[in-house]
Amino acid sequence: MPPLPRFRNAAVADIAAELRFAPKAAILRAVESAELLAGQVDASAAYPIDFVVFRLTGYRPDAAPDVILTGADLLADLGVLAEHLSHRANLTEADLSDASLGIDDLTRRWNVSRKTVERLRRQGLVGVRVRGERGRERTAFRVPAVEAFERAHAEALSGARAFTRLSHEQEHAIFEEARALREAHGWSLHGCARTLATTHGRGVETMRALLRRLDPERLVFPEPGPPDERLAGVFERALRRGIEPREIGERYGHPRRSVLRAAHITRITLLRDALRADGITQNATQVAAHTEPQADALRAALEAPSVRDATRPERPIALADLLAFMRERVVPVGIEERQRLLAISLLVAQANSILAAQSRAATPSPSALDTAETALRRASLLGALALRPHLRLILDTLEQGLARPLDEVRPAPLSDLLRRALRAAGAATLAIDPRHGGRLAAPVGLAAQRVVAAEGRAAHEPGRARARLPSDAPGFDWTHSLHAWQGILEPPQPVAAAILAMDDPDAHLLAARLGLERLAEARAELAQKGGTTPARLAARERRVLRAAWLGRGHDDPAPPPPSDARPVRFR
């Protein structure tokens, strides 16, 4: 038997852990409940974890974690849960109350492949592991569960049953068709695959894979294959600096759409890693951002005056000016703080949900990715506004931990200490749940205490002569230092300043989209206001962004190419 599959959601894994010592009868009831629930879950809906616990165990927890599961992930994990529980309970075929079928039985019953059966298991086909007479495990599917799955997925099973594999002769005939199309029209691999997919009723990617497999030497289609992870990273960094995708593709020998697709996939991966770095996982946030109640809550939160009219706070750059700014006493307004923290929670949940969905897509949607990026940019600005009244608390906590004023610390360790403290405070704005009450001051103060305890040694310097901080010591944009994703979504301070200094309508549009002065706007919204399309607006944004990077003193804004690639100069 293969290893036990992994859970998508840690909350469902916790349920399995809680049931691992349950008696066999209780586990059998939980497995049957999982089969029943799988037939009732809507893949496009969302379900709170306390509902799932109640349906599986009959127990309604008093204090369940604030976790909401997408229907698709829940369907996949119900089968995983049944496998884990049945394996730990050492179930045998005699323990099953009904007749069961194996995977080979299902392939014959539905006239599909084993791979198709495995794919259907992630869609709610629940199986268990049972031991035979010799102690060997096999996967079994109870007949009532199979029949219920057949009724719920009749159309999908009919389509899978009608699928036929191409014979060796058919594959070579299709390849000869592609060769003829290439010679007659000069079409690319993708163009030929798209035409053949329509002609033969197959998927475009199926045709692409077939043509590439039958042309291993790339004699007919010399176009390069998909860019590897390292090259995709180069594409993403080049686009981030305003380089045209067509120009990138020409330098690296890839079509424009391949450049964009690889860059978008890389960007999604970077953003998901950044969310995890800030303590945000798909289970720790309300990932049901696309459900109607969640969307209504987000719209209402964005309409609150303290959120709708938000503008970026002052950003002194010199370290001495930043310390003076942090010493100013600002009294927090409780209702405004709660409104902003609620909006942050909903915006991060929306972005996390979109990124999780797009990470499973073969070709990510640019509009969906832009929606997620806009939500994170808005969350960063609101986080800066929520933390503004608490900067004095952060500074006082650091000075108490060091037992000296911060303006007596050398610039390098001081800058590093402030960055770490602000990042910890930014994480506190994401961890707090405004719906359950509580103020931001306590978690921010604790975060600063932990930072000075762990990182304050480098700034303490016992026995060193105390000198005043130079007035011209360079600092940083504190509003840009709160969350890990800001380094991906927001340009560096000199580039942002160059964009704001431009007397160009396109620069104003780019500043609005990046949220350099006020709450960020999505590209689709700005395109509609300007009477253009998102694609054309993106090209205009790239022109401004490239000029801003060049204007900050760089000869070339392009990132360095991989060591095995030819040098590239973007002019």
Side-chain angles (χ1 to χ4, degrees):
M1 282 294 293
L4 289 169
R6 294 183 179 181
F7 289 95
R8 289 188 182 181
N9 298 280
V12 184
D14 292 340
I15 298 175
E18 291 291 335
L19 292 172
R20 65 185 183 276
F21 298 123
K24 185 177 292 187
I27 287 180
L28 284 171
R29 287 195 300 270
V31 169
E32 293 176 1
S33 298
E35 294 172 345
L36 181 62
L37 181 58
Q40 300 170 350
V41 169
D42 182 355
S44 61
Y47 301 87
I49 190 61
D50 54 349
F51 166 80
V52 178
V53 172
F54 176 73
R55 289 297 307 271
L56 292 175
T57 66
Y59 167 71
R60 193 179 298 277
D62 295 330
D66 186 16
V67 176
I68 296 181
L69 311 179
T70 60
D73 286 347
L74 178 57
L75 283 173
D77 275 350
L78 287 174
V80 177
L81 176 73
E83 280 201 71
H84 278 252
L85 293 179
S86 56
H87 170 74
R88 289 171 180 169
N90 290 321
L91 294 186
T92 64
E93 297 182 16
D95 293 323
L96 301 181
S97 58
D98 300 283
S100 63
L101 301 173
I103 292 182
D104 291 335
D105 298 325
L106 292 182
T107 61
R108 291 189 293 269
R109 181 185 179 107
W110 294 336
N111 192 25
V112 297
S113 65
R114 291 179 65 95
K115 188 174 182 179
T116 299
V117 173
E118 292 296 335
R119 186 176 68 251
L120 294 175
R121 294 180 67 183
R122 297 191 295 271
Q123 299 174 16
L125 177 61
V126 177
V128 295
R129 294 200 175 191
V130 295
R131 296 186 180 277
E133 295 179 356
R134 298 183 179 180
R136 188 172 183 178
E137 280 190 333
R138 72 176 183 91
T139 304
F141 304 86
R142 295 193 319 120
V143 171
V146 171
E147 293 175 345
F149 186 84
E150 289 173 339
R151 290 191 295 270
H153 299 80
E155 184 176 349
L157 288 174
S158 176
R161 191 179 295 114
F163 177 81
T164 56
R165 294 187 177 277
L166 295 171
S167 65
H168 182 74
E169 293 75 12
Q170 288 174 318
E171 289 182 345
H172 282 273
I174 289 174
F175 184 75
E176 292 304 320
E177 288 184 54
R179 187 198 300 271
L181 291 172
R182 173 80 171 191
E183 294 174 353
H185 305 287
W187 289 351
S188 65
L189 173 68
H190 180 78
C192 293
R194 186 170 52 190
T195 300
L196 293 170
T198 303
T199 303
H200 295 275
R202 303 281 171 162
V204 176
E205 290 302 317
T206 301
M207 290 292 104
R208 282 174 56 89
L210 171 62
L211 298 181
R212 181 61 73 200
R213 177 164 54 84
L214 294 181
D215 186 26
E217 301 297 328
R218 299 188 179 180
L219 300 177
V220 179
F221 299 102
E223 296 92 8
D228 58 21
E229 183 177 345
R230 181 175 52 171
L231 191 57
V234 174
F235 293 170
E236 192 276 332
R237 294 193 298 275
L239 287 176
R240 196 189 303 179
R241 301 179 184 189
I243 311 301
E244 283 293 330
R246 175 189 53 78
E247 193 174 353
I248 300 171
E250 288 176 354
R251 294 297 188 270
Y252 286 96
H254 284 269
R256 179 180 183 275
R257 62 179 173 275
S258 178
V259 170
L260 290 174
R261 178 179 178 273
H264 290 161
I265 292 175
T266 300
R267 198 167 178 86
I268 289 170
T269 302
L270 291 174
L271 289 174
R272 296 195 75 194
D273 290 344
L275 286 169
R276 282 192 287 269
D278 278 336
I280 303 297
T281 65
Q282 193 173 355
N283 298 316
T285 62
Q286 297 189 23
V287 298
H290 295 306
T291 62
E292 200 60 35
Q294 194 82 348
D296 291 342
L298 178 56
R299 281 192 290 268
L302 293 178
E303 284 301 314
S306 61
V307 176
R308 183 188 62 235
D309 303 328
T311 58
R312 191 173 290 271
E314 185 181 345
R315 294 162 286 176
I317 300 304
L319 269 180
D321 294 339
L322 178 58
L323 290 183
F325 177 71
M326 294 177 69
R327 290 190 195 281
E328 296 177 3
R329 190 175 299 278
V330 180
V331 179
V333 180
I335 183 63
E336 292 183 353
E337 181 176 281
R338 284 192 295 273
Q339 288 173 343
R340 287 166 179 162
L341 291 175
L342 177 61
I344 291 171
S345 174
L346 294 170
L347 287 166
V348 173
Q350 180 193 40
N352 196 32
S353 175
I354 293 174
L355 293 173
Q358 292 300 309
S359 67
R360 295 190 287 267
T363 302
S365 166
S367 61
L369 178 57
D370 182 61
T371 300
E373 292 178 353
T374 302
L376 292 176
R377 291 187 180 107
R378 290 173 171 176
S380 294
L381 175 55
L382 294 173
L385 288 172
L387 286 174
R388 172 62 187 99
H390 304 287
L391 294 182
R392 173 67 179 266
L393 171 62
I394 295 174
L395 184 141
D396 290 343
T397 304
L398 296 179
E399 289 186 335
Q400 290 174 7
L402 295 177
R404 66 190 304 182
L406 289 185
D407 52 11
E408 295 181 357
V409 179
R410 287 186 302 139
L414 173 59
S415 179
D416 183 63
L417 183 65
L418 288 175
R419 287 179 186 272
R420 292 178 183 275
L422 288 167
R423 175 61 61 81
T429 65
L430 304 177
I432 191 170
D433 190 343
R435 296 168 301 171
H436 296 163
R439 300 294 295 272
L440 189 56
V444 167
L446 288 173
Q449 288 178 6
R450 287 193 292 268
V451 169
V452 74
E455 309 292 341
R457 182 176 299 177
H460 185 61
E461 300 176 320
R464 182 182 177 88
R466 299 185 177 184
R468 284 289 176 183
L469 182 69
S471 60
D472 58 348
F476 57 92
D477 182 352
W478 73 273
T479 67
H480 186 75
S481 307
L482 305 179
H483 304 117
W485 65 74
Q486 290 182 272
I488 304 169
L489 299 181
E490 300 176 10
Q493 191 277 331
V495 176
I499 294 172
L500 292 174
M502 290 183 186
D503 186 14
D504 185 335
D506 289 344
H508 301 328
L509 289 173
L510 180 58
R513 179 168 175 267
L514 297 178
L516 299 183
E517 294 182 301
R518 54 184 58 86
L519 217 57
E521 297 183 64
R523 182 179 287 150
E525 299 172 356
L526 292 171
Q528 187 175 11
K529 291 179 181 178
T532 184
T533 64
R536 290 177 179 175
L537 181 58
R540 292 158 60 183
E541 290 174 357
R542 286 193 292 268
R543 178 186 65 81
V544 174
L545 195 56
R546 182 170 184 172
W549 275 89
L550 290 171
R552 78 189 279 259
H554 286 270
D555 292 334
D556 196 325
S563 58
D564 57 350
R566 62 178 183 273
V568 178
R569 298 289 289 178
F570 295 101
R571 289 293 188 189

